[in-house]
Amino acid sequence: MKGTRYISFICGVIIGAAVFGGSVAVAACIIAQPKTAGVVIDGKTVDLKGYLIDGSHYFQLRDLEEKLVPSGKDFSVVWDGENNRIIIDTNRRYDADEKLPVPGTEQEPVMSVEEMRMEIIRLTNAERARAGVPELIVLPALMECAQAKAQDFLDNRYFGHTSPVYGTPTQMIRSYIPNIRTCGENLATWVTTPEAAFSGWLDSPEHLQNMLATKFTHIGVGIVVDKDGGMCWVQQLAGF
């Protein structure tokens, strides 16, 4: 729905109502008191200042706009009634019929694990293109290595760069590709979409530096899902 940010959503929390005035505003005999509430944008919770009016939260459009990157585009908005919050995803278009699944009735992910691996690669190369950096080439051996690292997390119940089985990222990657000159690794967990994993890396200077480094020329991605639906994400980068 184009122009979503210019329409009020009355879902317990209201986005889009521009409330003007001082610290306390009065309109139609209703007291508007300053209030801060959380909104989930692309998997990350941000606090927006607004007003509490008759039990509903109102945010100013300009404050919401500042949190949306990139701005000026259509985006998905879903009301999470169970947790009393709004969820915004700028990577998907608005769908008036979209609803969060009822707990215990979740359906299979729309994307397969293989599709999610390729989506991470697409998002990474799109960011490199915006930065004027050459795109990374998918290397089958590195894809295999990254998937093995993700499976290693699940099998050995740890989360970190140094594996109890394979050692450091350099040691592990060189066991698959002996002639690499340099390598790097980004990890993520507790997120369930490629966009959320990628967004976390974008927000971290160290992870972003890895993804944009010109010394890296090839990429591999691994993803595993445990029996409870938890996911581990591995992005490995290599240069020759």
Side-chain angles (χ1 to χ4, degrees), residues 11 17 20 53 57 71 86 109 115 123 129 134 177 184 220:
C11 306
F20 301 96
I53 301 177
H57 295 104
S71 62
I86 285 286
E115 288 172 331
L123 290 169
I177 314 164

Side-chain angles (χ1 to χ4, degrees), residues 18-159:
V19 180
F20 301 96
S23 59
V24 176
V26 180
C29 300
I30 299 175
I31 299 297
Q33 300 183 356
K35 180 71 174 179
T36 299
V39 176
V40 180
I41 300 178
D42 294 334
K44 183 178 180 180
T45 300
V46 298
D47 289 328
L48 289 182
K49 294 180 180 180
Y51 295 89
L52 182 63
I53 301 177
D54 196 25
S56 295
H57 295 104
Y58 290 73
F59 304 121
Q60 296 196 62
L61 293 176
R62 64 172 178 266
D63 294 333
L64 178 60
E65 180 76 14
E66 290 175 356
K67 300 296 183 180
L68 296 174
V69 180
S71 62
K73 63 178 288 188
D74 195 6
F75 54 83
S76 165
V77 179
V78 182
W79 168 239
D80 181 5
E82 183 180 9
N83 296 296
N84 194 35
R85 63 183 182 174
I86 285 286
I87 298 179
I88 294 174
D89 187 344
T90 63
N91 297 289
R92 294 184 294 112
R93 295 176 62 85
Y94 178 77
D95 180 354
D97 297 323
E98 181 180 13
K99 295 180 177 62
L100 290 180
V102 177
T105 64
E106 291 83 354
Q107 298 179 349
E108 290 296 315
V110 175
M111 301 177 71
S112 67
V113 168
E114 187 59 31
E115 288 172 331
M116 288 190 286
R117 294 172 77 189
M118 299 309 296
E119 179 64 6
I120 287 289
I121 293 168
R122 187 193 70 79
L123 290 169
T124 302
N125 277 330
E127 189 65 26
R128 286 174 70 92
R130 279 190 287 271
V133 181
E135 74 173 27
L136 297 165
I137 300 169
V138 177
L139 187 63
L142 198 55
M143 293 288 283
E144 182 182 353
C145 181
Q147 189 64 26
K149 179 64 174 282
Q151 188 65 44
D152 189 39
F153 289 150
L154 181 62
D155 294 342
N156 293 289
R157 300 295 175 183
Y158 79 99
F159 182 77

Side-chain angles (χ1 to χ4, degrees), residues 175-213:
S175 72
Y176 280 80
I177 314 164
N179 61 329
I180 63 165
R181 179 175 56 84
T182 185
C183 64
E185 181 177 79
N186 288 337
L187 309 175
T189 189
W190 301 113
V191 293
T192 57
T193 67
E195 292 80 11
F198 185 75
S199 177
W201 294 332
L202 280 182
D203 290 339
S204 166
E206 294 81 6
H207 292 81
L208 180 59
Q209 183 179 13
N210 265 349
M211 291 193 292
L212 299 184

Side-chain angles (χ1 to χ4, degrees), residues 121 137-139 142-143 146 218-222 234-237:
I121 293 168
I137 300 169
V138 177
L139 187 63
L142 198 55
M143 293 288 283
H218 292 74
I219 186 173
V221 175
V234 178
Q235 180 191 66
Q236 291 182 334
L237 309 159

